[in-house]
Amino acid sequence: MDKEQEDKELMPSENGQSLSPKVFVLALDGGTFDLLRPWMEVGAQGPAPLLPNLRALFRSGVHGELESTYPPLTGPAWASFMTGKRPENHGLLEFFGREPNSYRQRLHSRLDIDGRSIWRVLSDHGKRVGVIGVPLTYPPEPVNGFLITGLLTPRTKVTFTHPPELEHELNQRLGRYLLQHTEKYLQDDPSRLINEEWAIMNNKIDAALYLMDAKPWDFFMLHILGTDVLQHAFWHYFDPNHIEYNPNDKNIQKYGNVILKFWRDLDKRLGEVFARLDENTYVMVMSDHGFGPLRLYINFNIWLLREGFMHLKRDFRTRLRWLAFRLGFNYRNAVNISFKTGLARLIIRLGRAKQEEMQRKTFLSLDDVDWSRTTVYSMGNFGQMYVNLKGREPEGIVEPGAEYEAVLAKLEARLRALRDPYTGEPVVERIWRGSELYQGKYAHKAPDLFFFTRGMLYKAMGLSDFGSDTVFEHLYGTHAHHHMNGIFMLKGPGIPQDVEITGARLIDLAPTIYHLMGVPIPRDVDGQVLTQALGQAGQAAPQYETSFVSGNGGEAEHVYTAEEEAALTEMLRDLGYVS
């Protein structure tokens, strides 16, 4: 078959007119082949797969692990998927970014992402798009089609669809579109979270089925969050190797199959979705990161205090708070009490500004740090380390150059010496200087030292300045967390069948989608077309836009009110995203 004949095979036609191929993307948040491979292969009672629809797709195309972002967190990962850019080029290195001239953080929104989204680029090239539930899409972006925002949409009454009237249409069709997650994992009654995740999953798929039939589209994306949420909360009930697994725990019988059951029920509903896709549609399944068990939390700012990198003020108020802190009057215990007594919702209503003021006056916080004697502080879900650098930090004392390098060398040596208090094993597995990982427009936002713990078994208490008075803390709330490698599957015209690929990255998906749809690739993407995955569909050379087209610009004006940000921050804690 010559090249012209191959092109005709790959491009369906109608009435003699060429049609651009469609692309359907299914985003399964936190999906990992560590779970899915055995579930796709055999069932508990024999050879029948537990996830037959995902297995069929897996076998009918290419598949492989998908490298996430550094760090593998929902915020930077979805921003990288949307733009095809690394975090240091789109500007989101965490859920939260540091406020200018401050040691404080604020929550990111879509407007903080520097770069055009997939749906913006496709719209600009005349493609009709449909997007449901992708995190960090609020406020809704005008597109050529429709868009429903996802995680980090405020709980207050806001417009979360484009066009705005789509919300009314969905409510009429579905009874109500379930936008918000309102429950959290509560040990005494996990069923409330379980029931909500099932309801949201079914509601989203009902919405997708309706919109796939009712609206014209060339690109359609459906995001499912419940896979991630339930893995955070219930991993310790099914994994015999988890530190908290107890075979005599009566809850294992009740909740040990929650994660698998959710995946099985989801797979069944996906059969309805896949049945609406013809053989000429490319179907991509992906996740933003992988998943795995946790062992312990680590309070890195407490560790920095004990190692002499950080110091507290010597005034009476700070000494009093430190004494109370050592006696157990700390943020973690207060949060536990507030949720047991129902005070949490009242606290949220105070608004973020009042909450922070109350927390700073009541508990030990970064406001108690003596920055004139502090060389390093930690901020972030992976324990990211920042040097208190002169000229960059508000009260920096470390001189750039030799002194800066000496602080980092000492810090790295101490991190390598950190040991698990129960096993004596090293905690830190791999360390990078920020300059090694982040080399782009927003590299100035990067931590000075970034590291992964051994097996990613340890999680930093990233939002709490000083969560408790111990360096190591037993797990609560979330029992598993994100790993680097998510999932990737792709089938469609010209795609090889049942082929394993390696080296795929999250940032490669956007340019690959553009290539499949015949759309020029923006010149500012960092990813590359996954030509090794495309077979005949990847034979043509990738085409790029002839000129550079800028996106939002990043670091936009804050879109959340103080009350909205407080509620969203608490929701992220509830769902296991931050501690």
Side-chain angles (χ1 to χ4, degrees):
M1 183 184 293
D2 61 25
K3 183 66 169 61
E4 182 178 351
Q5 288 176 314
E6 288 178 355
D7 290 342
K8 288 180 179 178
E9 289 288 330
L10 298 176
M11 189 70 69
S13 63
E14 184 176 284
N15 298 325
Q17 298 296 316
S18 293
L19 296 176
S20 296
K22 291 183 175 183
V23 172
F24 181 92
V25 177
L26 174 63
L28 301 176
D29 208 292
T32 170
F33 281 131
D34 289 347
L35 297 182
L36 298 189
R37 278 186 188 272
W39 292 343
M40 287 189 296
E41 289 303 319
V42 296
Q45 304 301 322
L50 296 171
L51 306 176
N53 290 304
L54 285 174
R55 174 187 164 88
L57 194 146
F58 181 89
R59 291 299 183 196
S60 60
V62 297
H63 45 262
E65 292 188 335
L66 187 70
E67 182 184 270
S68 186
T69 53
Y70 290 83
L73 285 170
T74 299
W78 285 115
S80 284
F81 169 80
M82 289 180 217
T83 62
K85 298 164 74 170
R86 295 189 301 269
E88 66 268 30
N89 282 324
H90 61 60
L92 269 67
L93 278 70
E94 266 271 0
F95 266 120
F96 296 80
R98 287 192 292 170
E99 295 178 349
N101 302 312
S102 170
Y103 294 99
R104 294 282 155 200
Q105 303 179 84
R106 69 175 179 87
L107 187 62
H108 285 307
S109 76
R110 173 185 66 81
L111 298 184
D112 292 299
I113 301 172
D114 188 342
R116 290 183 294 160
S117 65
I118 290 178
W119 25 95
R120 174 76 271 142
V121 173
L122 294 176
S123 293
D124 289 346
H125 288 277
K127 303 297 183 182
R128 299 162 299 184
V129 304
V131 182
I132 301 179
V134 178
L136 276 156
T137 47
Y138 178 85
E141 185 175 6
V143 294
N144 180 27
F146 59 89
L147 183 146
I148 307 168
T149 62
L151 185 69
L152 296 189
T153 301
R155 287 174 167 173
T156 50
K157 180 62 178 175
V158 295
T159 299
F160 63 87
T161 66
H162 173 83
E165 58 269 21
L166 180 59
E167 178 186 358
H168 178 69
E169 182 180 345
L170 289 171
N171 288 340
Q172 280 195 317
R173 181 74 182 187
L174 305 174
R176 181 165 70 95
Y177 181 79
L178 299 179
L179 174 69
Q180 300 296 354
H181 289 73
T182 60
E183 299 295 344
K184 73 186 296 282
Y185 174 76
L186 296 170
Q187 194 164 355
D188 59 339
D189 187 14
S191 63
R192 292 172 59 181
L193 177 64
I194 292 169
N195 292 338
E196 182 175 68
E197 292 308 322
W198 252 269
I200 290 174
M201 179 267 286
N202 282 308
N203 184 261
K204 269 191 178 180
I205 291 181
D206 288 342
L209 295 174
Y210 165 67
L211 292 169
M212 290 170 73
D213 292 340
K215 312 288 182 183
W217 57 272
D218 301 300
F219 171 89
F220 197 108
M221 182 166 181
L222 170 63
H223 175 273
I224 301 295
L225 186 64
T227 44
D228 183 281
V229 172
L230 294 176
Q231 287 169 186
H232 275 297
F234 294 95
W235 192 287
H236 61 306
Y237 284 129
F238 84 91
D239 181 359
N241 296 316
H242 196 284
I243 189 174
E244 292 186 325
Y245 183 86
N246 178 0
N248 299 317
D249 186 347
K250 62 181 181 181
N251 284 325
I252 286 183
Q253 296 230 341
K254 292 172 67 176
Y255 307 119
N257 286 324
V258 165
I259 295 173
L260 173 57
K261 187 176 188 310
F262 187 85
W263 276 99
R264 294 193 72 179
D265 287 355
L266 171 61
D267 184 84
K268 185 176 180 180
R269 294 300 315 269
L270 291 178
E272 301 174 58
V273 175
F274 295 157
R276 281 169 163 77
L277 303 173
D278 63 37
E279 62 183 11
N280 294 316
T281 298
Y282 290 102
V283 184
M284 179 183 292
V285 178
M286 49 77 62
S287 65
D288 50 336
H289 49 70
F291 233 87
L294 285 174
R295 176 175 171 80
L296 293 168
Y297 287 146
I298 304 180
N299 287 294
F300 276 106
N301 281 327
I302 291 293
W303 178 78
L304 289 170
L305 277 172
R306 295 188 177 180
E307 294 293 324
F309 293 97
M310 179 181 280
H311 296 273
L312 299 178
K313 295 175 182 176
R314 296 169 172 147
D315 62 77
F316 174 75
R317 288 184 178 179
T318 294
R319 290 185 177 186
L320 185 62
R321 279 193 285 267
W322 174 246
L323 176 61
F325 183 77
R326 296 297 304 273
L327 293 174
F329 190 63
N330 55 55
Y331 181 75
R332 174 190 170 165
N333 289 336
V335 168
N336 289 341
I337 292 171
S338 70
F339 277 106
K340 288 179 180 178
T341 60
L343 289 174
R345 295 191 184 279
L346 294 175
I347 294 171
I348 287 173
R349 292 193 191 106
L350 291 174
R352 180 172 180 260
K354 290 184 179 179
Q355 280 186 61
E356 286 195 349
E357 182 182 0
M358 183 175 67
Q359 184 174 339
R360 289 196 299 269
K361 288 181 177 180
T362 307
F363 303 108
L364 198 70
S365 74
L366 289 180
D367 284 358
D368 293 299
V369 172
D370 183 349
W371 296 106
S372 69
R373 297 187 296 139
T374 291
T375 57
V376 182
Y377 64 101
S378 179
M379 186 178 290
N381 282 279
F382 280 75
Q384 296 95 312
M385 298 287 176
Y386 295 86
V387 173
N388 193 27
L389 189 64
K390 185 177 291 187
R392 185 187 68 183
E393 314 303 306
E395 301 177 56
I397 63 167
V398 177
E399 293 285 351
E403 185 179 0
Y404 172 79
E405 293 297 331
V407 168
L408 286 179
K410 180 181 178 183
L411 179 63
E412 182 173 343
R414 297 287 178 86
L415 281 170
R416 293 192 185 282
L418 183 61
R419 293 290 187 270
D420 185 306
Y422 302 99
T423 67
E425 294 177 279
V427 167
V428 175
E429 188 168 76
R430 189 172 181 187
I431 301 176
W432 297 269
R433 299 289 175 93
S435 56
E436 292 180 74
L437 283 182
Y438 305 101
Q439 300 173 7
K441 182 177 180 180
Y442 296 99
H444 62 279
K445 292 184 174 184
D448 296 290
L449 212 63
F450 183 83
F451 57 91
F452 281 158
T453 61
R454 178 175 52 86
M456 303 185 87
L457 289 169
Y458 305 82
K459 184 184 182 304
M461 299 185 72
L463 276 191
S464 305
D465 296 346
F466 301 98
S468 71
D469 65 330
T470 59
V471 173
F472 291 91
E473 187 76 61
H474 292 295
L475 302 177
Y476 65 97
T478 184
H479 305 272
H481 202 55
H482 304 169
H483 283 198
M484 273 301 293
N485 292 325
I487 63 172
F488 172 72
M489 308 180 210
L490 177 67
K491 77 160 192 172
I495 304 297
Q497 292 191 14
D498 200 11
V499 171
E500 184 98 13
I501 65 164
T502 60
R505 303 171 299 171
L506 191 61
I507 57 173
D508 297 328
L509 300 189
T512 300
I513 291 168
Y514 298 139
H515 186 64
L516 288 173
M517 298 187 70
V519 169
I521 301 168
R523 289 190 169 274
D524 62 347
V525 301
D526 296 313
Q528 299 178 342
V529 175
L530 291 170
T531 52
Q532 77 272 27
L534 301 186
Q536 293 181 9
Q539 290 185 350
Q543 299 298 307
Y544 288 82
E545 291 183 339
T546 55
S547 60
F548 176 82
V549 181
S550 63
N552 293 320
E555 298 182 317
E557 183 178 344
H558 203 39
V559 301
Y560 301 118
T561 66
E563 290 74 18
E564 288 170 346
E565 181 161 348
L568 288 170
T569 300
E570 208 57 51
M571 180 177 68
L572 292 174
R573 282 194 175 102
D574 294 348
L575 298 177
Y577 285 102
V578 296
S579 301

